Amino acid sequence: MLKESAPVKQIPLLAIGGGVVTVLAAIGAYAVATVSEDFTRMLIISYGLAIALLAASSLAMRYLLPQDLRFLALAAGVPAAQVISLLMSLVAFGSDAVPQVAADLIALVVGLVWLFQRPGRAPLLFLLAYQAFALALKTYILFTQDFTLSFIRGVITTILVQILALFVLYDAYLKMKVRTERV
């Protein structure tokens, strides 16, 4: 006679995403630590800046979004942090950075404006598709190009943020899907 086991608790998607990003961040930090101690310090600063931007923009989105759409705070906050980061790159590197960041900046701004103007699954899918494409491109660049260590630091941080974005956008998409099916 078999006993009925207790129901299995499902691990939240965002917890899985956070775990994946944390493990990849640790692997990235270890990999670059073997190259240079100074670079490790720079990477930690880069991670710290990314975390601060993610936290600040997600918190801001909780206050900018209407009460019934607050579940989108992370889904809007992560791309907003990416926009801020890209704008900081433009300020820091001037016109030299425009070719590298223009397409990303345009796609993220269009997706965020669309999400705010017409919250729904379509803008979330657009942002998901952009993040998936950009992640594939940045990963390809990381493994095929010769470039400076400071550029690698930026690419690694960007890849980690894009992985996080995929998880939060997909989570928001699932929540939006359930919400629209109930209506």
Side-chain angles (χ1 to χ4, degrees), residues 18-62:
V20 167
V21 169
T22 301
V23 168
L24 291 175
I27 291 169
Y30 175 76
V32 296
T34 61
V35 175
S36 161
E37 285 182 30
D38 187 46
F39 185 63
T40 303
R41 204 174 10 230
M42 291 170 55
L43 188 63
I44 290 169
I45 291 168
S46 181
Y47 285 174
L49 179 61
I51 290 167
L53 283 174
L54 289 167
S57 62
S58 295
L59 187 62
M61 291 303 161
R62 283 198 47 79

Coordinates of all heavy atoms in Angstrom, one line a residue, residues 18-62:
G18 N 17.3 34.0 -9.8 CA 18.3 34.6 -9.0 C 19.4 33.7 -8.7 O 20.6 34.1 -8.6
G19 N 19.1 32.4 -8.5 CA 20.1 31.4 -8.2 C 21.0 31.2 -9.4 O 22.3 31.2 -9.3
V20 N 20.5 31.2 -10.6 CA 21.3 31.0 -11.8 C 22.2 32.2 -12.0 O 23.4 32.0 -12.3 CB 20.3 30.8 -13.1 CG1 21.1 31.0 -14.4 CG2 19.6 29.5 -13.0
V21 N 21.7 33.4 -11.8 CA 22.5 34.6 -12.0 C 23.6 34.6 -11.0 O 24.7 35.0 -11.3 CB 21.6 35.9 -12.0 CG1 22.5 37.1 -11.9 CG2 20.7 35.9 -13.2
T22 N 23.3 34.3 -9.7 CA 24.3 34.3 -8.7 C 25.4 33.3 -9.0 O 26.6 33.6 -8.8 CB 23.6 33.9 -7.3 OG1 22.6 34.9 -7.0 CG2 24.7 33.9 -6.2
V23 N 25.1 32.1 -9.4 CA 26.1 31.1 -9.7 C 26.9 31.6 -10.9 O 28.2 31.5 -10.9 CB 25.4 29.7 -10.0 CG1 26.4 28.8 -10.7 CG2 24.8 29.1 -8.8
L24 N 26.3 32.1 -11.9 CA 27.1 32.6 -13.1 C 27.9 33.8 -12.7 O 29.1 33.9 -13.2 CB 26.1 32.9 -14.2 CG 25.4 31.8 -14.9 CD1 24.4 32.2 -15.9 CD2 26.4 30.8 -15.5
A25 N 27.5 34.6 -11.8 CA 28.3 35.8 -11.4 C 29.5 35.3 -10.6 O 30.6 35.8 -10.8 CB 27.4 36.7 -10.5
A26 N 29.3 34.3 -9.8 CA 30.5 33.7 -9.1 C 31.5 33.1 -10.0 O 32.7 33.3 -9.9 CB 30.0 32.7 -8.0
I27 N 31.0 32.4 -11.0 CA 31.9 31.7 -12.0 C 32.6 32.8 -12.8 O 33.8 32.7 -13.0 CB 31.1 30.8 -12.9 CG1 30.6 29.6 -12.1 CG2 31.9 30.4 -14.1 CD1 29.6 28.7 -12.9
G28 N 31.9 33.8 -13.2 CA 32.6 34.9 -13.9 C 33.6 35.6 -13.1 O 34.7 35.9 -13.5
A29 N 33.3 35.9 -11.8 CA 34.3 36.5 -10.9 C 35.5 35.6 -10.7 O 36.6 36.1 -10.7 CB 33.6 36.9 -9.6
Y30 N 35.3 34.3 -10.5 CA 36.4 33.4 -10.3 C 37.3 33.3 -11.6 O 38.5 33.3 -11.5 CB 35.9 32.0 -10.0 CG 37.0 31.0 -9.9 CD1 37.9 31.0 -8.8 CD2 37.2 30.1 -10.9 CE1 38.9 30.1 -8.7 CE2 38.3 29.2 -10.8 CZ 39.1 29.2 -9.7 OH 40.1 28.3 -9.7
A31 N 36.6 33.3 -12.7 CA 37.3 33.1 -14.0 C 38.2 34.4 -14.2 O 39.4 34.2 -14.6 CB 36.4 33.0 -15.2
V32 N 37.7 35.5 -13.9 CA 38.5 36.7 -14.2 C 39.5 36.9 -13.0 O 40.6 37.6 -13.2 CB 37.7 38.0 -14.4 CG1 36.8 37.9 -15.6 CG2 36.8 38.3 -13.2
A33 N 39.3 36.4 -11.9 CA 40.3 36.5 -10.8 C 41.6 35.8 -11.1 O 42.6 36.1 -10.7 CB 39.7 35.9 -9.5
T34 N 41.4 34.7 -12.0 CA 42.7 34.0 -12.4 C 43.5 34.9 -13.4 O 44.7 34.6 -13.5 CB 42.3 32.7 -13.1 OG1 41.5 32.9 -14.2 CG2 41.6 31.8 -12.1
V35 N 42.9 35.9 -14.0 CA 43.5 36.7 -14.9 C 44.2 37.9 -14.2 O 45.4 38.2 -14.4 CB 42.6 37.3 -16.0 CG1 43.2 38.3 -16.9 CG2 41.9 36.2 -16.7
S36 N 43.5 38.5 -13.3 CA 44.0 39.7 -12.7 C 43.3 40.1 -11.4 O 42.1 40.1 -11.4 CB 43.9 40.9 -13.6 OG 44.0 42.1 -13.0
E37 N 44.0 40.4 -10.3 CA 43.4 40.8 -9.1 C 42.7 42.2 -9.2 O 41.6 42.4 -8.7 CB 44.4 40.9 -7.9 CG 44.8 39.5 -7.4 CD 45.8 39.7 -6.3 OE1 45.7 40.7 -5.5 OE2 46.6 38.8 -6.1
D38 N 43.4 43.1 -9.9 CA 42.8 44.4 -10.2 C 41.5 44.3 -11.0 O 40.5 45.0 -10.7 CB 43.8 45.3 -10.9 CG 43.3 46.7 -11.0 OD1 42.9 47.2 -10.0 OD2 43.4 47.3 -12.1
F39 N 41.5 43.4 -11.9 CA 40.3 43.2 -12.7 C 39.1 42.6 -11.8 O 38.0 43.0 -12.0 CB 40.6 42.2 -13.9 CG 39.4 42.1 -14.8 CD1 38.9 43.1 -15.5 CD2 38.8 40.8 -14.9 CE1 37.8 43.0 -16.4 CE2 37.7 40.7 -15.8 CZ 37.2 41.8 -16.5
T40 N 39.4 41.8 -10.9 CA 38.4 41.3 -10.0 C 37.8 42.4 -9.2 O 36.6 42.5 -9.1 CB 39.0 40.3 -9.0 OG1 39.7 39.2 -9.7 CG2 38.0 39.7 -8.1
R41 N 38.6 43.3 -8.7 CA 38.1 44.5 -8.0 C 37.1 45.3 -8.9 O 36.1 45.8 -8.5 CB 39.2 45.3 -7.5 CG 38.9 46.2 -6.4 CD 40.2 46.9 -5.8 NE 41.3 46.8 -6.7 CZ 42.5 46.4 -6.3 NH1 42.8 46.1 -5.1 NH2 43.5 46.2 -7.2
M42 N 37.6 45.5 -10.2 CA 36.8 46.2 -11.1 C 35.4 45.5 -11.4 O 34.4 46.1 -11.6 CB 37.5 46.4 -12.4 CG 38.7 47.4 -12.3 SD 39.8 47.4 -13.8 CE 38.6 47.7 -15.1
L43 N 35.5 44.2 -11.5 CA 34.3 43.4 -11.7 C 33.3 43.5 -10.6 O 32.1 43.7 -10.8 CB 34.6 41.9 -12.0 CG 33.5 41.0 -12.5 CD1 33.0 41.5 -13.8 CD2 34.0 39.6 -12.5
I44 N 33.8 43.5 -9.4 CA 33.0 43.6 -8.2 C 32.3 45.0 -8.2 O 31.1 45.1 -7.9 CB 33.8 43.4 -6.9 CG1 34.1 41.9 -6.8 CG2 33.0 43.8 -5.7 CD1 35.1 41.6 -5.8
I45 N 33.0 46.0 -8.6 CA 32.4 47.4 -8.7 C 31.3 47.4 -9.8 O 30.3 47.9 -9.6 CB 33.5 48.4 -9.0 CG1 34.4 48.6 -7.8 CG2 32.9 49.8 -9.4 CD1 35.7 49.4 -8.0
S46 N 31.6 46.7 -10.9 CA 30.6 46.6 -12.0 C 29.4 45.9 -11.5 O 28.3 46.3 -11.8 CB 31.3 45.9 -13.2 OG 30.4 45.8 -14.2
Y47 N 29.6 44.8 -10.8 CA 28.4 44.0 -10.3 C 27.7 44.9 -9.3 O 26.4 45.0 -9.3 CB 28.9 42.8 -9.5 CG 29.3 41.6 -10.4 CD1 29.8 40.5 -9.8 CD2 29.2 41.6 -11.8 CE1 30.2 39.4 -10.5 CE2 29.6 40.5 -12.5 CZ 30.1 39.4 -11.9 OH 30.5 38.3 -12.6
G48 N 28.4 45.6 -8.4 CA 27.8 46.5 -7.4 C 26.9 47.6 -8.0 O 25.8 47.8 -7.6
L49 N 27.5 48.2 -9.1 CA 26.7 49.2 -9.8 C 25.4 48.6 -10.4 O 24.4 49.2 -10.4 CB 27.6 49.9 -10.9 CG 26.9 51.0 -11.7 CD1 26.5 52.1 -10.8 CD2 27.9 51.5 -12.8
A50 N 25.6 47.5 -11.0 CA 24.4 46.8 -11.7 C 23.3 46.5 -10.6 O 22.2 46.8 -10.9 CB 24.9 45.6 -12.4
I51 N 23.8 46.0 -9.5 CA 22.8 45.6 -8.4 C 22.1 46.9 -7.9 O 20.9 46.9 -7.7 CB 23.5 44.9 -7.3 CG1 23.9 43.5 -7.8 CG2 22.6 44.8 -6.1 CD1 24.8 42.7 -6.9
A52 N 22.9 48.0 -7.7 CA 22.3 49.2 -7.2 C 21.3 49.8 -8.3 O 20.2 50.2 -7.9 CB 23.4 50.3 -7.0
L53 N 21.6 49.8 -9.5 CA 20.7 50.2 -10.6 C 19.4 49.4 -10.6 O 18.3 49.9 -10.8 CB 21.4 50.2 -11.9 CG 22.4 51.4 -12.2 CD1 23.1 51.1 -13.6 CD2 21.7 52.7 -12.2
L54 N 19.6 48.1 -10.5 CA 18.5 47.1 -10.6 C 17.5 47.4 -9.4 O 16.3 47.5 -9.6 CB 18.9 45.7 -10.6 CG 19.6 45.2 -11.9 CD1 20.3 43.9 -11.6 CD2 18.6 45.1 -13.0
A55 N 18.1 47.5 -8.2 CA 17.3 47.8 -7.0 C 16.6 49.1 -7.1 O 15.3 49.2 -6.8 CB 18.1 47.7 -5.8
A56 N 17.3 50.2 -7.5 CA 16.7 51.5 -7.5 C 15.6 51.6 -8.6 O 14.5 52.1 -8.3 CB 17.8 52.5 -7.8
S57 N 15.8 51.0 -9.7 CA 14.8 51.2 -10.8 C 13.6 50.3 -10.5 O 12.5 50.7 -10.8 CB 15.4 50.8 -12.2 OG 15.9 49.5 -12.2
S58 N 13.8 49.1 -9.9 CA 12.7 48.3 -9.6 C 11.8 48.9 -8.5 O 10.6 48.9 -8.5 CB 13.1 46.9 -9.2 OG 13.8 46.2 -10.2
L59 N 12.5 49.5 -7.5 CA 11.8 50.2 -6.5 C 11.0 51.4 -7.1 O 9.8 51.6 -6.7 CB 12.7 50.7 -5.4 CG 12.1 51.3 -4.1 CD1 11.2 50.3 -3.4 CD2 13.2 51.8 -3.2
A60 N 11.6 52.1 -8.0 CA 11.0 53.3 -8.6 C 9.7 52.8 -9.4 O 8.7 53.5 -9.4 CB 11.9 54.0 -9.5
M61 N 9.8 51.7 -10.1 CA 8.7 51.1 -10.8 C 7.5 50.8 -9.9 O 6.4 50.9 -10.3 CB 9.1 49.9 -11.7 CG 10.1 50.2 -12.8 SD 9.4 51.5 -13.9 CE 10.8 52.1 -14.7
R62 N 7.8 50.3 -8.7 CA 6.7 50.0 -7.8 C 5.9 51.3 -7.5 O 4.7 51.2 -7.2 CB 7.2 49.5 -6.5 CG 7.7 48.0 -6.6 CD 7.8 47.3 -5.3 NE 6.7 47.4 -4.3 CZ 5.6 46.8 -4.3 NH1 5.3 46.0 -5.3 NH2 4.7 46.9 -3.3

